[in-house]
Amino acid sequence: DIVMTQSPDSLAVSLGERATINCKSSQSILYSSNNNNYLAWYQQKPRQPPKLLIYWASTRESGVPDRFSGSGSGTDFTLTISSVQAEDVAVYYCQQYYGTSFTFGQGTKLEIK
Amino acid sequence: EVQVVESGGDLVQPGGSLRLSCAASGFTFSSTWMTWVRQAPGKGLEWVANIKQDGSEKYYLDSVKGRFTVSRDNAKNSLHLQMNSLRAEDTAVYYCSTFRGNGWLDSWGQGTLVTVSS
């Protein structure tokens, strides 16, 4: 199974500052035939279900603010929030969908400093 | 509007059984892969099972294989998860979600809580 490891486990960022969350897969999730990375990012606020932010590692879901961006390829990926807002306080998860079974990272908790 | 609503969660004893349901609306259910994901209290997300549009392909988390069965009724726009031989470690909120493209999960329900305890 593909193991997804996020770092850090938590981070505190000042309002308006940049937040960077990393996600590393135990094997490449880049599918060579279509050159797509099989990775998604989710945001989960307290007492709510997860919300899809990004898929194909860098494609923003409709309605997601453009301060959220995804990058990376192969085994190393990053979610960046360019200017953190109060409403971004949440836990963020990466997920690989490379095979027939999916796995999530352990989550990164974002707080305001 | 796409909507999925889970139901059926309850308190059950270890070794017991439970059947979860997910009612779908606002999209073409019969054309959509579906997924179950769970979240233990205070913990992260864990994928449980996927089912293809016509039910011909099903995939499971290793720890639930042989105990859980995912099924769907396209005539009733409903998804189910039959859970047998339940263990304490199955205690979690269970979410159903639509599965788009090759596997991103874009519409989640509010979840239903399953508690396995004596």
Side-chain angles (χ1 to χ4, degrees):
Chain A
D1 286 356
I2 300 174
V3 177
M4 307 300 289
T5 304
Q6 292 181 227
S7 62
D9 289 334
S10 65
L11 76 162
V13 176
S14 300
L15 288 173
E17 295 298 305
R18 177 185 298 258
T20 301
I21 298 170
N22 301 301
C23 176
K24 187 175 185 68
S25 57
S26 60
Q27 67 184 70
S28 177
I29 52 176
L30 170 63
Y31 195 43
S32 56
S33 67
N34 59 18
N35 205 38
N36 280 328
N37 289 282
Y38 284 45
L39 184 101
W41 287 97
Y42 301 86
Q43 174 194 64
Q44 187 178 30
K45 296 182 179 180
R47 295 169 298 282
Q48 292 186 20
K51 172 188 173 183
L52 175 67
L53 297 176
I54 285 169
Y55 55 94
W56 290 140
S58 61
T59 301
R60 202 177 302 116
E61 171 73 334
S62 175
V64 173
D66 61 7
R67 64 180 181 273
F68 291 91
S69 64
S71 63
S73 186
T75 61
D76 292 281
F77 302 90
T78 300
L79 175 70
T80 301
I81 310 172
S82 59
S83 176
V84 169
Q85 306 300 304
E87 60 265 33
D88 299 334
V89 168
V91 178
Y92 293 84
Y93 296 91
C94 60
Q95 175 229 340
Q96 66 79 19
Y97 47 92
Y98 187 79
T100 56
S101 63
F102 300 165
T103 45
F104 290 89
Q106 80 276 17
T108 295
K109 186 175 185 179
L110 175 64
E111 298 174 314
I112 303 299
K113 191 185 296 181
Chain B
E1 179 194 2
V2 173
Q3 194 169 20
V4 292
V5 180
E6 304 90 341
S7 61
D10 204 347
L11 170 63
V12 61
Q13 292 190 340
S17 298
L18 206 57
R19 187 182 193 231
L20 305 184
S21 296
C22 173
S25 61
F27 64 100
T28 308
F29 181 75
S30 60
S31 299
T32 306
W33 280 77
M34 297 295 292
T35 295
W36 287 99
V37 173
R38 67 185 180 184
Q39 186 169 35
K43 302 298 183 182
L45 302 172
E46 183 174 51
W47 168 80
V48 174
N50 290 338
I51 184 168
K52 193 176 178 179
Q53 293 95 327
D54 62 359
S56 62
E57 294 182 35
K58 304 176 184 181
Y59 302 98
Y60 297 94
L61 177 68
D62 282 348
S63 63
V64 308
K65 281 180 186 174
R67 300 189 299 123
F68 290 12
T69 302
V70 60
S71 63
R72 62 192 298 160
D73 184 338
N74 286 344
K76 296 182 178 179
N77 287 355
S78 62
L79 175 72
H80 303 285
L81 186 67
Q82 177 67 42
M83 303 186 296
N84 299 329
S85 303
L86 282 161
R87 307 167 180 167
E89 54 265 35
D90 296 319
T91 294
V93 172
Y94 284 73
Y95 296 101
C96 74
S97 175
T98 55
F99 165 154
R100 301 294 185 186
N102 286 79
W104 57 89
L105 309 176
D106 66 340
S107 296
W108 298 64
Q110 291 297 313
T112 188
L113 176 61
V114 172
T115 303
V116 183
S117 175
S118 55

PDB file of all heavy atoms in Angstrom, chain B residues 5-19:
ATOM      1  N   VAL B   5     -26.622  11.760   2.057  1.00  0.00           N
ATOM      2  CA  VAL B   5     -27.007  11.758   3.466  1.00  0.00           C
ATOM      3  C   VAL B   5     -26.882  10.348   4.022  1.00  0.00           C
ATOM      4  O   VAL B   5     -27.585   9.431   3.588  1.00  0.00           O
ATOM      5  CB  VAL B   5     -28.450  12.266   3.642  1.00  0.00           C
ATOM      6  CG1 VAL B   5     -28.828  12.243   5.124  1.00  0.00           C
ATOM      7  CG2 VAL B   5     -28.611  13.672   3.071  1.00  0.00           C
ATOM      8  N   GLU B   6     -25.991  10.213   5.011  1.00  0.00           N
ATOM      9  CA  GLU B   6     -25.757   8.910   5.637  1.00  0.00           C
ATOM     10  C   GLU B   6     -26.738   8.682   6.780  1.00  0.00           C
ATOM     11  O   GLU B   6     -27.203   9.635   7.418  1.00  0.00           O
ATOM     12  CB  GLU B   6     -24.333   8.814   6.186  1.00  0.00           C
ATOM     13  CG  GLU B   6     -23.226   9.069   5.193  1.00  0.00           C
ATOM     14  CD  GLU B   6     -22.811  10.533   5.113  1.00  0.00           C
ATOM     15  OE1 GLU B   6     -23.596  11.395   5.541  1.00  0.00           O
ATOM     16  OE2 GLU B   6     -21.700  10.818   4.641  1.00  0.00           O
ATOM     17  N   SER B   7     -26.999   7.411   7.043  1.00  0.00           N
ATOM     18  CA  SER B   7     -27.849   7.040   8.174  1.00  0.00           C
ATOM     19  C   SER B   7     -27.484   5.627   8.620  1.00  0.00           C
ATOM     20  O   SER B   7     -26.768   4.902   7.914  1.00  0.00           O
ATOM     21  CB  SER B   7     -29.328   7.099   7.789  1.00  0.00           C
ATOM     22  OG  SER B   7     -29.606   6.192   6.747  1.00  0.00           O
ATOM     23  N   GLY B   8     -27.986   5.250   9.788  1.00  0.00           N
ATOM     24  CA  GLY B   8     -27.810   3.881  10.260  1.00  0.00           C
ATOM     25  C   GLY B   8     -26.791   3.708  11.367  1.00  0.00           C
ATOM     26  O   GLY B   8     -26.679   2.615  11.943  1.00  0.00           O
ATOM     27  N   GLY B   9     -26.046   4.759  11.683  1.00  0.00           N
ATOM     28  CA  GLY B   9     -25.060   4.629  12.744  1.00  0.00           C
ATOM     29  C   GLY B   9     -25.714   4.386  14.101  1.00  0.00           C
ATOM     30  O   GLY B   9     -26.826   4.847  14.357  1.00  0.00           O
ATOM     31  N   ASP B  10     -25.016   3.638  14.953  1.00  0.00           N
ATOM     32  CA  ASP B  10     -25.606   3.277  16.241  1.00  0.00           C
ATOM     33  C   ASP B  10     -24.519   2.744  17.158  1.00  0.00           C
ATOM     34  O   ASP B  10     -23.349   2.596  16.753  1.00  0.00           O
ATOM     35  CB  ASP B  10     -26.681   2.206  16.027  1.00  0.00           C
ATOM     36  CG  ASP B  10     -27.727   2.180  17.119  1.00  0.00           C
ATOM     37  OD1 ASP B  10     -27.514   2.816  18.174  1.00  0.00           O
ATOM     38  OD2 ASP B  10     -28.767   1.508  16.924  1.00  0.00           O
ATOM     39  N   LEU B  11     -24.902   2.461  18.397  1.00  0.00           N
ATOM     40  CA  LEU B  11     -24.038   1.772  19.351  1.00  0.00           C
ATOM     41  C   LEU B  11     -24.279   0.269  19.176  1.00  0.00           C
ATOM     42  O   LEU B  11     -25.427  -0.194  19.233  1.00  0.00           O
ATOM     43  CB  LEU B  11     -24.385   2.208  20.771  1.00  0.00           C
ATOM     44  CG  LEU B  11     -23.737   1.419  21.916  1.00  0.00           C
ATOM     45  CD1 LEU B  11     -22.223   1.567  21.892  1.00  0.00           C
ATOM     46  CD2 LEU B  11     -24.309   1.882  23.263  1.00  0.00           C
ATOM     47  N   VAL B  12     -23.208  -0.473  18.984  1.00  0.00           N
ATOM     48  CA  VAL B  12     -23.326  -1.915  18.770  1.00  0.00           C
ATOM     49  C   VAL B  12     -22.231  -2.621  19.561  1.00  0.00           C
ATOM     50  O   VAL B  12     -21.147  -2.071  19.764  1.00  0.00           O
ATOM     51  CB  VAL B  12     -23.249  -2.253  17.263  1.00  0.00           C
ATOM     52  CG1 VAL B  12     -21.922  -1.808  16.669  1.00  0.00           C
ATOM     53  CG2 VAL B  12     -23.503  -3.711  16.996  1.00  0.00           C
ATOM     54  N   GLN B  13     -22.515  -3.822  20.006  1.00  0.00           N
ATOM     55  CA  GLN B  13     -21.537  -4.589  20.775  1.00  0.00           C
ATOM     56  C   GLN B  13     -20.480  -5.202  19.865  1.00  0.00           C
ATOM     57  O   GLN B  13     -20.745  -5.468  18.680  1.00  0.00           O
ATOM     58  CB  GLN B  13     -22.248  -5.698  21.563  1.00  0.00           C
ATOM     59  CG  GLN B  13     -23.148  -5.182  22.671  1.00  0.00           C
ATOM     60  CD  GLN B  13     -23.631  -6.298  23.577  1.00  0.00           C
ATOM     61  OE1 GLN B  13     -23.618  -7.470  23.210  1.00  0.00           O
ATOM     62  NE2 GLN B  13     -24.071  -5.943  24.772  1.00  0.00           N
ATOM     63  N   PRO B  14     -19.290  -5.425  20.398  1.00  0.00           N
ATOM     64  CA  PRO B  14     -18.260  -6.126  19.607  1.00  0.00           C
ATOM     65  C   PRO B  14     -18.801  -7.452  19.093  1.00  0.00           C
ATOM     66  O   PRO B  14     -19.484  -8.182  19.803  1.00  0.00           O
ATOM     67  CB  PRO B  14     -17.137  -6.328  20.615  1.00  0.00           C
ATOM     68  CG  PRO B  14     -17.317  -5.226  21.606  1.00  0.00           C
ATOM     69  CD  PRO B  14     -18.803  -5.025  21.715  1.00  0.00           C
ATOM     70  N   GLY B  15     -18.499  -7.730  17.820  1.00  0.00           N
ATOM     71  CA  GLY B  15     -19.002  -8.928  17.166  1.00  0.00           C
ATOM     72  C   GLY B  15     -20.334  -8.746  16.491  1.00  0.00           C
ATOM     73  O   GLY B  15     -20.796  -9.636  15.755  1.00  0.00           O
ATOM     74  N   GLY B  16     -20.965  -7.604  16.718  1.00  0.00           N
ATOM     75  CA  GLY B  16     -22.278  -7.349  16.151  1.00  0.00           C
ATOM     76  C   GLY B  16     -22.218  -6.863  14.716  1.00  0.00           C
ATOM     77  O   GLY B  16     -21.149  -6.767  14.107  1.00  0.00           O
ATOM     78  N   SER B  17     -23.395  -6.554  14.178  1.00  0.00           N
ATOM     79  CA  SER B  17     -23.534  -6.118  12.792  1.00  0.00           C
ATOM     80  C   SER B  17     -24.313  -4.814  12.721  1.00  0.00           C
ATOM     81  O   SER B  17     -25.106  -4.497  13.616  1.00  0.00           O
ATOM     82  CB  SER B  17     -24.263  -7.185  11.960  1.00  0.00           C
ATOM     83  OG  SER B  17     -23.535  -8.384  11.918  1.00  0.00           O
ATOM     84  N   LEU B  18     -24.092  -4.103  11.623  1.00  0.00           N
ATOM     85  CA  LEU B  18     -24.795  -2.841  11.392  1.00  0.00           C
ATOM     86  C   LEU B  18     -24.812  -2.589   9.896  1.00  0.00           C
ATOM     87  O   LEU B  18     -23.868  -2.972   9.187  1.00  0.00           O
ATOM     88  CB  LEU B  18     -24.071  -1.709  12.109  1.00  0.00           C
ATOM     89  CG  LEU B  18     -24.847  -0.466  12.527  1.00  0.00           C
ATOM     90  CD1 LEU B  18     -26.023  -0.824  13.444  1.00  0.00           C
ATOM     91  CD2 LEU B  18     -23.911   0.513  13.237  1.00  0.00           C
ATOM     92  N   ARG B  19     -25.867  -1.968   9.414  1.00  0.00           N
ATOM     93  CA  ARG B  19     -25.947  -1.618   7.987  1.00  0.00           C
ATOM     94  C   ARG B  19     -26.123  -0.123   7.864  1.00  0.00           C
ATOM     95  O   ARG B  19     -27.113   0.441   8.357  1.00  0.00           O
ATOM     96  CB  ARG B  19     -27.115  -2.336   7.323  1.00  0.00           C
ATOM     97  CG  ARG B  19     -27.172  -2.148   5.802  1.00  0.00           C
ATOM     98  CD  ARG B  19     -28.369  -2.836   5.226  1.00  0.00           C
ATOM     99  NE  ARG B  19     -28.326  -2.949   3.769  1.00  0.00           N
ATOM    100  CZ  ARG B  19     -29.305  -2.585   2.960  1.00  0.00           C
ATOM    101  NH1 ARG B  19     -30.418  -2.071   3.466  1.00  0.00           N
ATOM    102  NH2 ARG B  19     -29.201  -2.752   1.656  1.00  0.00           N
TER     103      ARG B  19
END
